[in-house]
Amino acid sequence: MTTDEDRVAAGWDRLNSLLVHIGRPDPRDERFRSTGTQVNTPVTRGSTVLFPDLDTMRKVGTERYGHTAIYGAMGTPVQHDLERLIAAIEKGRDTQIVSSGLAACTTALLTWTKAGDHCLIPDSCYGPTRRFADSMLRRFNVETTYYDPLIRETDLRALMRPNTQVIFAESPGSHTFEIQDIPMLARVAHANGARLLLDNTWGFGIFAPFDHGVDVSIQALTKYPGGHSDTVLGAITVASESEWHRLRDAAIQLGQLAGPDDCWLALRGLRTMGVRLARQARTALKIAKWLTSRSEVARVLHPALPDDPGHKLWKRDFSGAGPLFSVVLQPSCTRKAMETMIDSFTRFGIGASWGGFESLVLPTTGGIVRSLPGGLSESPAFRLSIGLDDPADLIADLEHGLSRL
Ligand SMILES: *Cc1c(COP(=O)(O)O)cnc(C)c1O
């Protein structure tokens, strides 16, 4: 029998063979025939690449859409191996690594918009993406309309204008965990000649963007692939040759790349991403279920819970779940009491980011900027990122805090 816990871990389990094999040196490669090779791609530090003659340099220089480089700013071997592995996980054609998850969002928006365009962004999006749209994009005369992440098809069609070039999506929403109907968004975008860009950070590895009509998939590799809270990195993946050329040209023009040490850390983190996240997803669901039984808790926002509003779409489109979800407390609880509780936790670190091996907590209500009504009510709420800890220890810590509210 498949339990809910099996279901949140299934997609992670299926990734493991791919994670072990792709993006490593091949011992059968000509270069290694007489010398053998290390298991892992070595870190290569360098700006200048030297060539035996000008002809060779010119030849490599014209191949900028492949995984070669005439200069360090076009990437190093370890960056290119990381790109190969990300593209394989996403089932895309190719990937561009950039300096952070936020840079992945902004580079993608700059690549697929121009002055005079209109862009639709979900009201539930990652805060810094909103700030970029409201300041830089606006300055370049790209107008943004924020839409309800749970919008219906007819209402979305009504928001489309002749100059709408991009529908941006993020599923589930940062903090509020609304699951978006991605195939519907793709249908509306494509009927209008627009592209669908998805921030797939939560769904990375368990949501196949290009099977659901997405044109451009964005990740913060800082989260699951890094996995150890020791690196900041982003990726943009596309499915077609023409989109790849457009993306690669933009990344080179913007000087987007990442250092070899960060790429190496992400590549190393990816080898164990499947086992880490399967375990973290199981623990997160167990804790989410336990929280729903507590009288201090009004709602738990986790799409794998059967009565979550996004549950049906999650079951239809995702092969697993992430370790990140939110908890809304009863309206009778004051914000001050919640903050005292958060300060008292011993197993949860107080800090930004998520997806690492350690568990984290952050209050969420005050930090959410919205243009539309909805989102979280005024009740105090907090977000948990569940790590590799023993679930019993995390539950004991939460129980201790909740019972003193
Ligand atoms: C963290 C995050 C980002 C930004 O990633 P950084 O690497 O921290 O810049 C973007 N989108 C989502 C959904 C995130 O959670």
Side-chain angles (χ1 to χ4, degrees):
M1 202 189 77
T2 316
T3 63
D4 297 343
E5 280 77 8
D6 293 338
R7 191 184 285 281
V8 295
W12 297 115
D13 291 338
R14 286 203 290 276
L15 269 185
N16 286 318
S17 297
L18 194 150
L19 295 177
V20 167
H21 288 287
I22 299 192
R24 285 173 38 197
D26 177 359
R28 283 169 298 253
D29 190 308
E30 256 330 295
R31 288 172 296 161
F32 307 124
R33 280 222 178 256
S34 57
T35 58
T37 174
Q38 311 269 350
V39 170
N40 296 295
T41 313
V43 170
T44 316
R45 295 193 177 78
S47 52
T48 300
V49 180
L50 293 177
F51 295 92
D53 48 55
L54 282 171
D55 240 18
T56 312
M57 187 180 183
R58 271 188 220 112
K59 199 159 153 275
V60 171
T62 55
E63 287 168 1
R64 68 179 185 284
Y65 303 118
H67 289 125
T68 50
I70 59 160
Y71 184 56
M74 286 159 191
T76 53
V78 70
Q79 179 182 322
H80 295 143
D81 273 350
L82 175 60
E83 288 169 340
R84 269 189 272 272
L85 180 52
I86 302 293
I89 296 166
E90 292 273 87
K91 297 199 266 173
R93 186 193 179 282
D94 224 321
T95 296
Q96 173 70 46
I97 297 296
V98 297
S99 57
S100 68
L102 178 57
C105 297
T106 60
T107 301
L109 283 165
L110 284 174
T111 302
W112 280 282
T113 57
K114 63 178 185 310
D117 282 352
H118 174 239
C119 163
L120 290 169
I121 295 185
D123 208 24
S124 50
C125 77
Y126 176 65
T129 301
R130 174 188 288 267
R131 282 196 285 283
F132 178 76
D134 290 347
S135 54
M136 286 253 201
L137 279 189
R138 176 174 294 169
R139 195 139 58 72
F140 294 134
N141 196 25
V142 176
E143 196 189 340
T144 299
T145 302
Y146 292 97
Y147 68 94
D148 177 351
L150 302 177
I151 194 166
R152 287 189 319 204
E153 186 161 359
T154 43
D155 297 327
L156 183 64
R157 282 188 199 285
L159 290 179
M160 297 297 284
R161 304 179 193 167
N163 63 338
T164 308
Q165 287 297 310
V166 162
I167 299 183
F168 194 91
E170 186 184 318
S171 178
S174 277
H175 300 276
T176 40
F177 298 90
E178 298 90 344
I179 297 282
Q180 295 199 258
D181 190 346
I182 299 295
M184 181 276 280
L185 296 176
R187 212 159 47 232
V188 174
H190 297 157
N192 218 66
R195 287 182 178 81
L196 177 60
L197 275 50
L198 171 69
D199 183 335
N200 194 30
T201 298
W202 193 94
F204 180 56
I206 50 171
F207 179 82
F210 305 113
D211 291 351
H212 293 89
V214 170
D215 297 290
V216 178
S217 182
I218 295 160
Q219 287 89 37
L221 302 185
T222 310
K223 311 292 165 54
Y224 310 148
H228 297 72
S229 306
D230 52 9
T231 182
V232 175
L233 214 59
I236 307 165
T237 305
V238 289
S240 78
E241 171 113 6
S242 59
E243 297 288 51
W244 167 242
H245 287 188
R246 184 165 175 158
L247 170 62
R248 182 72 176 146
D249 285 335
I252 290 175
Q253 283 166 40
L254 290 166
Q256 274 294 353
L257 74 151
D261 295 281
D262 291 309
C263 293
W264 192 88
L265 284 169
L267 206 44
R268 180 179 175 134
L270 279 159
R271 305 297 176 205
T272 58
M273 183 177 76
V275 281
R276 280 188 283 111
L277 269 297
R279 156 86 184 203
Q280 289 171 246
R282 282 177 189 273
T283 309
L285 184 62
K286 188 171 183 170
I287 291 172
K289 283 182 171 170
W290 178 81
L291 284 163
T292 58
S293 73
R294 296 290 305 196
S295 60
E296 304 88 346
V297 172
R299 270 182 72 200
V300 179
L301 311 180
H302 188 312
L305 292 173
D307 53 1
D308 188 87
H311 186 68
K312 258 172 73 180
L313 286 178
W314 173 77
K315 229 165 132 175
R316 186 190 72 184
D317 295 344
F318 287 74
S319 64
L324 184 80
F325 63 94
S326 286
V327 184
V328 184
L329 295 171
Q330 298 291 2
S332 55
C333 176
T334 63
R335 193 169 169 88
K336 178 92 186 53
M338 181 186 73
E339 290 185 356
T340 305
M341 176 186 76
I342 287 175
D343 284 340
S344 80
F345 289 147
T346 58
R347 304 276 175 175
F348 292 89
I350 298 174
S353 201
W354 50 277
F357 67 88
E358 84 290 16
S359 299
L360 294 174
V361 60
L362 263 191
T364 96
T365 321
I368 298 173
V369 186
R370 295 264 180 168
S371 324
L372 307 169
L376 289 179
S377 62
E378 282 314 299
S379 302
F382 57 95
R383 192 178 76 171
L384 295 175
S385 177
I386 301 300
L388 291 169
D389 315 60
D390 186 336
D393 289 334
L394 296 178
I395 288 178
D397 203 19
L398 289 165
E399 175 153 45
H400 180 75
L402 285 171
S403 59
R404 290 195 312 174
L405 268 180

